[in-house]
Amino acid sequence: MNPFILSMMISNLALGTIITAASYHWFMAWVGLEMNTLAIIPILAKQHHPRATEAATKYFIIQMTASSIILFSSIFNAYHTGTWDITQLTTHPTPSLLTIALAMKLGLVPMHFWLPEVMQGVNTMMALIITTWQKLPPMFLLYLTANQLPMVILLLLAISSTLISGWSGLNQTQLRKIMAYSSIGHLGWMFAILSTSQKLLLFTLTMYLLMTIPIFLIFISSTTKTIKDLGMLWTTSPTSCTMTMVIFMALGGLPPLSGFLPKWLILEELTTNHLIPLATMLTLTSLLSLMFYMRLTYTTTLTV
């Protein structure tokens, strides 16, 4: 791709996110989401490979469908309330439709089938962008509307995401697919705390980004794509191998590593708000995710 075209696409990608984050008007938020999606499609498909084209097409269809639902729900809400304010979701179907659409954009269960396939079809750098930067615009909208979203749907999405992500990640050998299921699982924890504590949501999102970005950078620098490649990482770079093991254990939430802190605070907050059954279910379902993180850590140490 021409460097000028690529720089323009990346600028539009950033601009779309900024517009969505700064908007209190539903139409401008939708414009930001559309700019963000249309800017990343050429970047995803720039390899001119059938799998990259397929991944870009899947991503485009899912994101456009979710954006259409967001636009429909906002128009429906504006028709009945007379306002386009993001924080005024008073018409009955609007909060539910918006929650489903944003969950589809993020890739939560049961709208998660596209995320592992898209990440496997693109290169590791594009997978990094999808799991980090592309999560920000929907999360900004969720943050602004958190107090008005239906709690039952949020908790169902949270429990199902933590369960399915751990279960599906157990039999994967491709690291990009494993990181996709890791993303789904962490988003499940964020949805669990969304309606209770927005500050804790931002803290969990920040910790997830700080753990995910370094592990992808290690994959990129070492051209690691599968678990088999991970087992040979020690011979090429012992430092990267050690960092990979630590980050995997942190993503799994093992104490006293950084990934344990947000999960501990979420469980404490849920318990304080008398949601002990939910906290128990999240803890049990996260054990599946912890199992494949430990398997990855064990695989990394095979050649040590």
Side-chain angles (χ1 to χ4, degrees):
M1 181 181 289
N2 186 291
F4 175 75
I5 300 296
L6 180 61
S7 63
M8 186 174 67
M9 292 294 105
I10 294 175
S11 299
N12 284 333
L13 190 68
L15 181 61
T17 303
I18 293 171
I19 290 175
T20 301
S23 296
Y24 279 89
H25 191 284
W26 272 116
F27 183 74
M28 290 305 299
W30 175 80
V31 168
L33 291 173
E34 292 300 295
M35 286 183 62
N36 183 273
T37 301
L38 293 176
I40 199 174
I41 296 301
I43 302 177
L44 295 179
K46 71 184 179 72
Q47 290 178 306
H48 302 293
H49 188 275
R51 294 203 65 179
T53 305
E54 179 186 356
T57 304
K58 289 179 179 178
Y59 188 82
F60 175 78
I61 292 173
I62 290 295
Q63 297 298 317
M64 288 297 108
T65 303
S67 295
S68 300
I69 297 174
I70 292 173
L71 185 61
F72 170 76
S73 61
S74 60
I75 291 174
F76 187 83
N77 186 72
Y79 177 78
H80 286 276
T81 62
T83 177
W84 286 83
D85 193 341
I86 287 179
T87 59
Q88 300 297 322
L89 299 177
T90 54
T91 309
H92 171 59
T94 302
S96 300
L97 287 174
L98 180 65
T99 305
I100 293 171
L102 293 176
M104 185 185 297
K105 272 188 167 294
L106 291 168
L108 270 82
V109 176
M111 292 81 67
H112 69 290
F113 297 102
W114 63 272
L115 183 57
E117 297 301 324
V118 169
M119 287 186 62
Q120 185 59 31
V122 299
N123 59 33
T124 311
M125 178 58 74
M126 293 300 102
L128 169 61
I129 294 175
I130 291 173
T131 52
T132 54
W133 186 262
Q134 291 302 99
K135 304 296 183 188
L136 296 181
M139 293 304 295
F140 286 138
L141 293 179
L142 286 169
Y143 178 81
L144 291 174
T145 58
N147 295 323
Q148 303 175 71
L149 300 179
M151 191 171 184
V152 175
I153 296 179
L154 292 175
L155 298 185
L156 286 175
L157 290 171
I159 294 173
S160 59
S161 295
T162 53
L163 175 62
I164 299 300
S165 65
W167 207 337
S168 302
L170 287 174
N171 62 344
Q172 299 297 328
T173 59
Q174 299 290 329
L175 291 176
R176 280 168 290 181
K177 281 191 175 182
I178 290 175
M179 294 308 297
Y181 288 115
S182 171
S183 172
I184 295 170
H186 281 86
L187 287 171
W189 282 86
M190 295 179 207
F191 266 59
I193 201 63
L194 179 60
S195 58
T196 307
S197 173
Q198 287 76 52
K199 291 182 180 180
L200 194 50
L201 166 71
L202 293 180
F203 176 69
T204 307
L205 177 62
T206 303
M207 293 302 299
Y208 165 72
L209 295 177
L210 290 177
M211 291 183 291
T212 302
I213 293 174
I215 197 69
F216 267 105
L217 293 179
I218 292 174
F219 292 161
I220 293 169
S221 63
S222 60
T223 63
T224 303
K225 296 181 179 179
T226 64
I227 292 182
K228 183 179 179 181
D229 298 336
L230 199 63
M232 302 300 295
L233 187 58
W234 179 265
T235 58
T236 57
S237 178
T239 304
S240 297
C241 181
T242 305
M243 289 182 61
T244 301
M245 290 188 289
V246 173
I247 295 172
F248 276 143
M249 289 188 288
L251 283 169
L254 282 179
L257 299 173
S258 57
F260 172 70
L261 182 58
K263 293 184 178 180
W264 179 36
L265 293 175
I266 288 174
L267 294 176
E268 183 182 16
E269 185 71 23
L270 293 175
T271 305
T272 304
N273 287 275
H274 308 289
L275 295 171
I276 298 177
L278 174 64
T280 305
M281 293 183 68
L282 281 176
T283 304
L284 293 176
T285 54
S286 66
L287 292 177
L288 290 170
S289 299
L290 179 60
M291 184 174 178
F292 73 70
Y293 287 124
M294 294 302 294
R295 184 186 66 160
L296 291 172
T297 306
Y298 172 72
T299 304
T300 308
T301 60
L302 286 179
T303 56
V304 176

